[in-house]
Structure formats: structure tokens, C-alpha cells
Amino acid sequence: MPAIKFPDGQVKKYKNGTKPSDILEEIGGRLKKQSVAARVNGRLIDLSGILDQDGEIQFIDINSPEGLDIYWHSSAHIMAHAIKKIFPNAKFAFGPPVEQGFYYDVDVERSLTPEDLVKIEEVMQEIITKDEPFVREELSVEEALVLFKDLNETYKVEQIERLGEPPSIYREGSFVDLCRGPHLPSTGYVKYFKLLSIAGAYWLGDEKNPMLQRVYGISFPKKSQLDEYIQRIEEAKKRDHRKLGRELDLYSINDDIGPGLVLWHPKGAYIRHKIEEHWRNEHLKSGYEFVTTPHIARKELWNKSGHLDFFTENMFSEMDVDEQPYLVKPMNCPFHLQIYKTSTKSYRDLPIRWAELGTVYRYERSGVLHGLMRVRGFTQDDAHIFCRQDQLDDEVSRVIGFCLNMLKSFGFEDVDIYLSTRPENYVGTIENWDRATEALKLGLEKASLNYQVDPGEGVFYGPKIDIKIKDVLGRSWQCSTIQVDFNEPERFDITYVGQDGDKHRPIMLHRALMGSLERFFGVLIEHYAGAFPLWLAPVQVHVMPITDKQRDFALTIHQELIRSDIRSYIDDRSEKVGFKIRDAETKKTPYMLIIGQKEVENNMVSVRKHREGDKGSVQLTDFIEQLKKEIAEKV
RNA sequence: GCCACCAUAGCUCAGUAGGUAGAGCACCUCACUUGUAAUGAGGCUGUCGCGGGUUCGAUUCCUGCUGGUGGCUCCA
């Protein structure tokens, strides 16, 4: 007689063999309708699972994150079932739920087409209409191997062998799949779904393995949720930085120049200029000094730094300079190290913080290039900090705080933070790694930040903190990074003279706050949907006379704005004011000044704000004051 | 790099069952002199991504390449 404790603290005894679904039957109502699985003693189980011991139960709501995961997971099974019906020889790999929906990796004899997706959707609907229950079975390894070998499911067989423990399977009608579960009670629970795309994916994520076809889909209990999802994707596409970059004339990438090489147009370059200006000011305030280094260096430098050992596949091929091989820089660090070495450093000199907007070039495989987010030539807002062991904690803390502040000034408050720890291949001692990792961790905790640990994801030369920002379609892009380096100080043999008169090895931190200006600009465009805050807007004010009669007055206003350091543009075309407003609105100019006869007579300006509309008339001096305030506050 | 898809005017797109192409916006000119998201009329705009093949003839069919898109792998 298991005693089951409910979330409200109530404890009830049930007879042996009771299932969560029995309890739901008894409770009924909304809970029964909305629950798709149960968590018993922390473990998720099917509603048809057996409660055989005492424990705490909690029902999983269909619309909770876990509920949707189960929903999508079961949807993936239904999709696989449908594919199996259409392609009896299809073999299946993995089909998990993801952040937005689900996918299944399949091995089908021919390439799937969009028409196939339509067909698969139809068959899925049939399976759903049949409302077959998902039935769990637990098998021994041997039984499972026999079953899946019979089905010629080679990937499943491989997976069973890899697991090495008795697996569970789920049957649903004639379809059987290796799966941990839990699942929805039956296929009929899946109401509204859509298959979204087909892509290639390597078996087990290894590019040496064969490529499977990955079919992505999404499903929801309610039609409105599916509609909203599709609409959200459509809306997101409108603020894609590649679309806005073209529409707002910010940048372009040109085939004649080469893929992954960015042309910053005047408006984009202006925004970049403001970003850099802000960046420089903040760095000076934070105790950094600037350095500037060349774009190429002798091959030998890259040999010394280790880049030729671990980074060659990302470096552009060498060039010949007076019969000496040179390489274009993929990183700035070796240069900074060479500056360090030009003089003997005392412990009193540390910490040294050297920053550079350093433009680097990396060969990125063609398939990975993506607008401004992933390019082949980019400018890092790089800095290297050389410090003593006793300064490490403090430096890490400072960088974290500095970094978050920098992101905040561009409106990024919601970011994902990762701590990447020691990978399999590493240089340096375990003690050093542990100490450095501890320092990074301490820094994060002192700032009371939420972060995830990425075990083994550190660079071979040291642990790191990464901050990622999501683009408009929910794809994560790494921007900020703070890395400890045990490799290069060693290779370049940099030292400082300690209080004891001996030479010591300083600790080196690499850090980039925005990461690269290109990527950062990309996420920034999407973040603001192209409507940049006043301080960044390339054109801050559109001045528009209503008729030619007000042109002279409008011109004096435009000139006054320019004199006051406001970026003004005068639209004196002989067009209706509605036309000019539309134009300025489309260009997302923050402010419009409309100048008609009334304004001329009263010596006023009529203010209109982007997306907000008419703000009424004010004195020009007041308007300028207001703008200056807004610019200073960077809102 | 791998899998799939795509490439027509500056942009968004239509089109040709194979006979060298069109619309809207943008741009230019003229008229209108206008009050908070599109005034009207006229004009300009193309190696139909590049190369090869099939064909009397290719933007259209086949093929190679280049570039892009969505993923995978890899990374700021």
C-alpha cells in the first residue's frame, strides 16, 4: 500500500498497482485534463506507470516546460511512425524535444522533399486520429537487441549497446521505438502540429559519421498556440539583422569582395563609431590602456604562440614577404605578449590591462557564415590582463562587472552565462586549472549570477566564462568571453620580478566584452529591431517643412541642430508631410520635426516621435535640451 | 566542409509547356504647395548568378562552379 504525498502536503494510501492515471481519475477536473505525466520522487513517469512505493507525486501540466517537452517528444514518435509507414526501410536515430519543438534524425533511402513533409503530416494526422496509447515495456539488453536487429534498426542497436543497461521501449500501434520516456498517454493528445524543415545532421554529431536527415516540427495542444508560434517566427524574420541591414542601409556583404567580409555603410559605420567611442571611454575609466598592433606577422610568431598547432585550420594561408612566410592574424594575443616582453616588469606594474579593437581574420568553413554573426574578418574588442596570483580574483570580478555593464548600456540584461571547465586535452597543471576555474566561479558567485557549467568545454589553454546573447530566432551567439590562459605566458616566457627579487610567471586573461563588433552589431540590430536608441541612431532627427514656404526656417532649425551636435537630416522634397513622415518612420528615425506656417509664426517646432506619434509643439531650445538629456542617459 | 533548398531590375516578386522578360516600391523629371504612415503623370532600370552541354534557338532542360538560406560539425 504505497503512501502518496501530494504537493499540498496531503498523504493518501493507495492499493498496490495504482497508476497516476487512477489518481487523476479520482481527482478529475482540470488536473485530469491538463496532466500528461507525473513526477514521483523526482522522476518523471508515464500516467500509466505503476506506483509501487511511498513517495511524493506531482502531476505535469501539458503547458509546463516539462509538459511541452513530453508533448514534443511524443510528437516526434508520431512523426517517426508516419515516416516508417511511408518509407518502410527508414531507420531511426534520435528524436528528442528541443527548445522549440522536436526533430527526428532518420536514415531514408532518398532525400526528403517539402512534398514529403506534407505527406508525412497527413499520415501523422491518421495516427493521431486513431488515438493509440503509448505503451511502455522494459526489456533486457538481449531482448532489445533481438527486437531492433529484427527491425534492422542499426542505430538503435548501436544505442542499446552503448547504453549497456536494460532499456525501455514504447509501442504505439504498430510502431516501436527505443525510448526512455515518459510519453503522452496516447497519440490523440497531439492536436495541432506542423513539420517545419529538413536538414542534414551527422549520426552522433560526428562529421566522420554518415549524415542523416533531420526533420523539424512543432506541435501544441491549442490551435492558437500554433498560430502564435508561426506568427512569432514571421515577426522575427522582419527583424532579422540581414533584412534590416539592407533596408536601413547599414552594411552589406559583397560577392565580388568575398563571403564573410563586411562592408560597413555610412549609417552602420556611424553606429559602430558611437559604440567604439563608448567602449574607449569606459575602458579608460576602468583602468585599461590601449595598444595597437599590425594585421600580419611572421609565421614563426604563430609557431611560438602555438596557433600553428591548434588553430591552423582557421588561419588564412601564408603570404611571402621578402621570401619570408607571414600570416594574417587570427588573434591579437601574441602581439600583446610581445609588447609585454619589451621591458622587465615588476610586481608593482601588475595588473596590466591592455585593450585593442583588433581586426582579425579567420578562415571559417563556408557553411557556417551567417550575416554579421559569423564572418571571416572581424574586429574583437579584445584585451589582455596580466596579473599576479593574488590579483586574480579581483581582476575576474572586475571584468565580469565591467562586461555586464557594457552589455547593459546596449540594453542587454537578459543573457546566458556559461562556465567552461577543463577539457580532455589541456596544457598546464591540474592545480592551476582548478585554481583558475575556482576564480572564475567565485567571480560569478560574488556577482550573484546564474550560470551553467559546460563541463569539458574550456579551451585547451584554460577555463573560461562565456556570455551568449540570443538572436531574434532564438539562436545563441557567444559575445563576451573571459578566458584564463596557461599556454601563452609559458610559450612566450613572460615574467615579472616579485617582491622577493625572483622571476614569476604572471597570469594572463583574455577577454572580449562585445566579442566582435560585427556579431555584436548583428545582435544589436535585432535587439532594437533597427530602431536604435537616440545615442546610437545614425540620424536622430528628420526636419520636414510642410511646404517650400517654410524651407528657410526649417533650414535654420536643421543647422541649429547640427551646431548642437544633433544628427539632423532635412527632408525638403516637395512632398506631402504624410509622405515624409512615412519615410522617416520606415527609416526608424527617433524624432521628426514638422515645420508648418504655425511653427514659423510662433518660432516653435512640432515634435513627432518614432512609433509614438505627435508630441505637440515646443521651443527648439527645449527640444535640444531634451535630446541632449536623452543622449547622455543613453535611453 | 557536409545534407537539403534557392538564385529574374537597387528591393520584394511575377513570368516564359524552350522563341533574349514584366509589376510594385526605390530612383529621375514635371505638375501640385501640401498639417502627422504612401498626390498625380511621365521616364530610367536587366549579361534572367557564372561557365559548359543538349537544341535551329536556353532565363527556362542537363551539368559544373560561385553565392545565399535552413540545419549539422566547428567558433567571436
Side-chain angles (χ1 to χ4, degrees), chain A residues 6 14 18-27 51 57 59:
Chain A
F6 289 87
Y14 288 94
T18 299
K19 301 167 181 170
S21 57
D22 298 331
I23 298 178
L24 278 177
E25 204 57 50
E26 188 184 303
I27 299 170
L51 299 171
I57 195 166
F59 288 100

Side-chain angles (χ1 to χ4, degrees), chain A residues 24-290:
Chain A
L24 278 177
E25 204 57 50
E26 188 184 303
I27 299 170
R30 200 183 129 76
L31 191 69
K32 180 187 158 195
K33 256 202 210 148
Q34 292 286 112
S35 298
V36 291
R39 190 203 313 277
V40 177
N41 294 334
R43 245 188 63 228
L44 288 174
I45 63 164
D46 296 305
L47 291 182
S48 57
I50 303 289
L51 299 171
D52 49 8
Q53 44 182 293
D54 294 355
E56 282 184 46
I57 195 166
Q58 185 195 347
F59 288 100
I60 304 297
D61 187 272
I62 198 163
N63 283 311
S64 67
E66 284 163 319
L68 273 175
D69 259 11
I70 293 166
Y71 201 83
W72 288 331
H73 193 177
S74 297
S75 302
H77 273 236
I78 296 169
M79 179 171 77
H81 187 173
I83 291 172
K84 185 79 184 171
K85 282 191 164 187
I86 301 168
F87 302 96
N89 293 327
K91 290 194 273 188
F92 298 90
F94 292 112
V98 286
E99 219 168 295
Q100 289 289 316
F102 58 89
Y103 68 76
Y104 219 118
D105 284 346
V106 300
D107 187 348
V108 186
E109 57 266 31
R110 68 165 172 82
S111 297
L112 295 173
T113 64
E115 294 80 61
D116 290 327
L117 293 193
V118 174
K119 181 81 184 122
I120 295 166
E121 282 179 348
E122 283 167 13
V123 177
M124 282 174 76
Q125 190 56 59
E126 288 167 19
I127 295 167
I128 289 166
T129 308
K130 275 195 193 157
D131 195 20
E132 309 246 34
F134 283 93
V135 181
R136 180 187 176 95
E137 275 175 47
E138 284 172 28
L139 304 182
S140 68
V141 171
E142 293 70 30
E143 286 168 329
L145 284 175
V146 169
L147 174 67
F148 286 101
K149 272 180 187 160
D150 270 0
L151 291 166
N152 197 29
E153 288 283 5
T154 49
Y155 301 102
K156 299 290 178 188
V157 169
E158 216 183 305
Q159 179 63 9
I160 294 164
E161 283 166 347
R162 191 173 311 106
L163 280 173
E165 51 188 65
S168 59
I169 60 164
Y170 277 80
R171 291 184 192 276
E172 164 253 300
S174 58
F175 185 69
V176 57
D177 198 355
L178 177 73
C179 187
R180 188 181 297 130
H183 276 283
L184 298 172
S186 66
T187 59
Y189 272 66
V190 175
K191 299 290 183 198
Y192 301 95
F193 65 94
K194 190 173 168 58
L195 300 187
L196 301 168
S197 63
I198 311 156
Y202 300 105
W203 165 235
L204 297 179
D206 188 332
E207 63 181 320
K208 288 192 276 295
N209 285 340
M211 184 162 266
L212 308 166
Q213 299 189 68
R214 176 170 296 181
V215 184
Y216 283 91
I218 185 91
S219 58
F220 290 106
K222 287 197 189 134
K223 179 155 195 310
S224 60
Q225 289 170 301
L226 179 61
D227 292 344
E228 266 166 41
Y229 170 82
I230 291 166
Q231 208 193 331
R232 200 165 61 241
I233 300 289
E234 291 307 311
E235 286 301 314
K237 282 182 186 157
K238 286 187 195 152
R239 52 197 289 179
D240 188 313
H241 76 280
R242 292 164 299 181
K243 185 171 159 71
L244 287 171
R246 189 171 49 236
E247 286 172 358
L248 300 177
D249 199 11
L250 301 173
Y251 80 95
S252 61
I253 292 172
N254 184 308
D255 205 6
D256 290 336
I257 288 164
L261 302 169
V262 178
L263 300 170
W264 293 70
H265 295 197
K267 290 198 171 79
Y270 196 89
I271 297 169
R272 173 167 169 162
H273 165 73
K274 296 312 281 187
I275 295 172
E276 289 183 357
E277 187 179 67
H278 176 67
W279 184 89
R280 285 202 179 86
N281 291 338
E282 293 303 307
H283 276 72
L284 288 175
K285 280 192 235 163
S286 298
Y288 284 78
E289 297 171 294
F290 298 128

Side-chain angles (χ1 to χ4, degrees), chain A residues 409-518:
Chain A
S409 50
F410 295 97
F412 294 111
E413 311 235 11
D414 179 25
V415 295
D416 299 317
I417 305 173
Y418 298 85
L419 174 66
S420 301
T421 58
R422 182 161 45 83
E424 268 177 52
N425 294 317
Y426 65 95
V427 299
T429 63
I430 291 194
E431 297 81 72
N432 273 340
W433 270 87
D434 288 348
R435 204 157 13 163
T437 310
E438 208 44 50
L440 295 178
K441 207 165 142 188
L442 190 71
L444 290 169
E445 273 153 21
K446 266 204 293 201
S448 45
L449 296 166
N450 288 323
Y451 65 94
Q452 290 177 44
V453 176
D454 250 349
E457 286 301 304
V459 202
F460 77 97
Y461 55 71
K464 60 174 183 165
I465 293 170
D466 286 331
I467 298 182
K468 297 184 189 184
I469 303 178
K470 284 201 178 79
D471 77 8
V472 86
L473 286 167
R475 294 175 289 213
S476 251
W477 296 96
Q478 183 186 320
C479 293
S480 320
T481 184
I482 304 167
Q483 312 178 342
V484 183
D485 188 340
F486 300 124
N487 176 51
E488 285 181 308
E490 208 61 52
R491 283 175 172 265
F492 284 88
D493 190 26
I494 58 166
T495 56
Y496 67 89
V497 179
Q499 219 164 350
D500 54 8
D502 289 342
K503 284 184 175 179
H504 299 273
R505 184 84 69 218
I507 297 180
M508 178 178 178
L509 290 174
H510 303 246
R511 50 110 278 196
L513 308 185
M514 299 183 280
S516 92
L517 291 173
E518 284 73 9

